[in-house]
Amino acid sequence: MTAWMPGRGLASVADDLVELLDHLGLDRVPVTGQSGGGAHVLALGARHPERISAATVIAGAAPLTEADIPLLIGYNAEAHRRFDDGGREALYQLLRDYREKALADPLADIRTSMHDAPPEDQAVLSDPTFQQILRQDRTEALRPGAEGWCDECLAASDWDIAPEEVTVHVVWYHSRHDANEPLQAVQRLADRLPSVELRLWEGGHLEAFHRQEELIRDLLTRAGFRPSS
């Protein structure tokens, strides 16, 4: 296997984003990241806090310990076991096989991988609008291959930034029953962030699907914008 960017971490993605902002002539921007994207919000807040006008993390990923693994849905737990037992190549093989199934039938595959997710997530998976978005997003995201996905998993499991380095205020939304990103891991991470407000929902990992307008309005308001009604 040839990774797209061997050794890349969270910091390099944050630096790339700043290069893009410079190219677009943007000084400070509101940023939000969901699930694995939350770590990239924190990396930007550690590396380039002056470029952030407001920061939101939604159901964000946090570094895991062995005690967190039993709380994960089965597929995510299996990914951790594969990497622990066989390293990068074993993880890549799992993701490559998953990618092929997801491209063949994105909806059926995620139902299989999240069969043990909380009932709230199962309800979201049954929503026709969510299903349409899911098909489009997963097809485009996985179309190039599994190498970048593997690199992202590795970067998210071994952070190259410290939470204590994040000097922007972070509003973090999370669900109490999230089985993709366990709340106890998030609470450990939040305890290390210099400035964070942890706002808890009931529900599961996909709770934000019902709250997109609320989340964007909150982010833009904190950034100094006045969203139209």
Side-chain angles (χ1 to χ4, degrees):
M1 182 196 70
T2 301
W4 283 356
M5 190 174 175
R8 88 138 168 97
L10 301 175
S12 60
V13 178
D15 295 344
D16 287 346
L17 178 56
V18 167
E19 185 174 344
L20 176 61
L21 293 178
D22 290 343
H23 175 73
L24 296 174
L26 299 174
D27 182 19
R28 300 175 71 241
V29 295
V31 293
T32 183
Q34 185 167 347
S35 193
H40 294 292
V41 171
L42 300 184
L44 187 65
R47 302 273 295 179
H48 306 282
E50 73 283 356
R51 308 305 293 267
I52 295 178
S53 57
T56 296
V57 171
I58 305 166
L64 301 179
T65 67
E66 285 300 316
D68 301 318
I69 305 304
L71 302 177
L72 296 173
I73 59 172
Y75 181 81
N76 286 5
E78 175 64 16
H80 282 277
R81 286 192 292 269
R82 290 286 188 98
F83 179 72
D84 289 343
D85 293 342
R88 174 190 289 268
E89 184 62 28
L91 175 62
Y92 172 71
Q93 290 175 4
L94 176 69
L95 299 179
R96 182 191 58 195
D97 293 344
Y98 184 91
R99 170 185 175 271
E100 293 175 358
K101 295 176 183 177
L103 289 177
D105 190 338
L107 183 58
D109 194 62
I110 197 170
R111 282 191 179 279
T112 299
S113 65
M114 294 189 67
H115 74 278
D116 51 351
E120 296 89 347
D121 284 345
Q122 303 295 341
V124 174
L125 288 171
S126 298
D127 186 289
T129 301
F130 179 84
Q131 292 176 1
Q132 180 181 4
I133 295 170
L134 176 76
R135 289 189 184 97
Q136 295 172 345
D137 286 356
R138 289 169 69 80
T139 299
E140 181 60 25
L142 298 177
R143 176 182 52 79
E147 289 86 355
W149 187 11
C150 185
D151 283 349
E152 174 66 13
C153 290
L154 296 178
S157 65
D158 186 16
W159 289 21
D160 58 357
I161 60 106
E164 291 82 2
E165 298 172 341
V166 180
T167 58
V168 297
H169 179 68
V170 177
V171 173
W172 189 311
Y173 293 88
H174 214 85
S175 293
R176 297 182 187 276
H177 308 296
D178 194 319
N180 290 63
E181 312 293 351
L183 178 58
Q184 67 182 32
V186 169
Q187 289 175 322
R188 285 198 310 270
L189 175 59
D191 287 342
R192 298 176 60 189
L193 292 171
S195 181
V196 62
E197 179 183 351
L198 186 57
R199 300 179 182 179
L200 296 180
W201 296 322
E202 300 301 323
H205 189 63
L206 304 179
E207 175 66 23
F209 174 71
H210 302 294
R211 303 172 180 266
Q212 292 300 315
E213 183 174 346
E214 165 195 339
L215 293 166
I216 294 299
R217 284 182 175 276
D218 175 70
L219 176 67
L220 294 180
T221 298
R222 288 187 285 111
F225 295 94
R226 292 184 178 180
S228 59
S229 58

